[in-house]
Amino acid sequence: GHVGARRSAFEIPTPAPALSLGSVAIVRADEVSPPGAEAPGPSGEPAAGGITSDPLRAGHLKATPLLGRSFPEGTPAVSLLLSLYAGPAAGRPAVELEFRRDGQTVAHATPDLPAPDAGGRVTFVGSFPTGSLGPGRYEVWARGRLGDVEATEATAFTITPRTPLARAGLLA
């Protein structure tokens, strides 16, 4: 077999005076500690001051950005990572996700976000059902809100058609 690598950039917001939203990333979400366990720092110890030191971790989930953004038809879910920063004195921001195909909204979600860490950052990893989506290119628009302030980011993924053999159940 062949092995390859591809570099893909994404943004994790730095502290700013108003709400900021980092790049929305398509990820693989892996559970790395039991629910309720404190997220460890980079060398395994608990993070100091309530600030999560790993920007790719949300609670008990660790996000690994995917190099490819294509999924076969029937894939049950696609996972997303996003980070919002509202500042240490701000309240809890909200986020709305809109899934579009050919400019038309096909799904909408308003996930519950975790509380901001001590620095005001909210990191969210969540999976969204895609099993009923037909082949095509989809965009995910994330709109973060905090009071009257809004920040928007988008990403895309593709659902590829299943082969005739897979449709017939001859291939996994």
Side-chain angles (χ1 to χ4, degrees):
H2 299 299
V3 176
R6 185 172 72 190
R7 195 179 286 235
S8 181
F10 62 94
E11 177 185 337
I12 296 174
T14 55
L19 178 70
S20 59
L21 175 62
S23 300
V24 179
I26 306 292
V27 299
R28 183 183 76 227
D30 296 312
E31 191 166 324
V32 291
S33 64
E38 186 174 343
S43 59
E45 77 285 353
I51 297 176
T52 306
S53 60
D54 185 348
L56 299 177
R57 187 175 172 126
H60 65 281
L61 295 175
K62 172 74 173 176
T64 303
L66 297 177
L67 298 177
R69 294 183 178 165
S70 292
F71 302 92
E73 185 177 9
T75 297
V78 169
S79 297
L80 305 173
L81 163 77
L82 58 92
S83 292
L84 295 106
Y85 179 81
R92 184 184 294 213
V95 70
E96 295 177 36
L97 300 172
E98 186 175 328
F99 297 80
R100 300 178 187 174
R101 181 176 179 199
D102 299 326
Q104 301 296 314
T105 301
V106 296
H108 188 272
T110 308
D112 290 328
L113 297 177
D117 66 15
R121 183 177 68 204
V122 175
T123 302
F124 173 78
V125 176
S127 296
F128 300 91
T130 55
S132 64
L133 298 180
R137 184 176 184 275
Y138 293 84
E139 295 176 325
V140 181
W141 287 79
R143 182 176 295 114
R145 286 195 175 113
L146 182 64
D148 294 335
V149 180
E150 188 174 290
T152 304
E153 287 288 330
T155 192
F157 64 92
T158 301
I159 300 291
T160 57
R162 294 179 66 184
T163 65
L165 291 177
R167 277 191 205 108
L170 300 174
L171 292 177

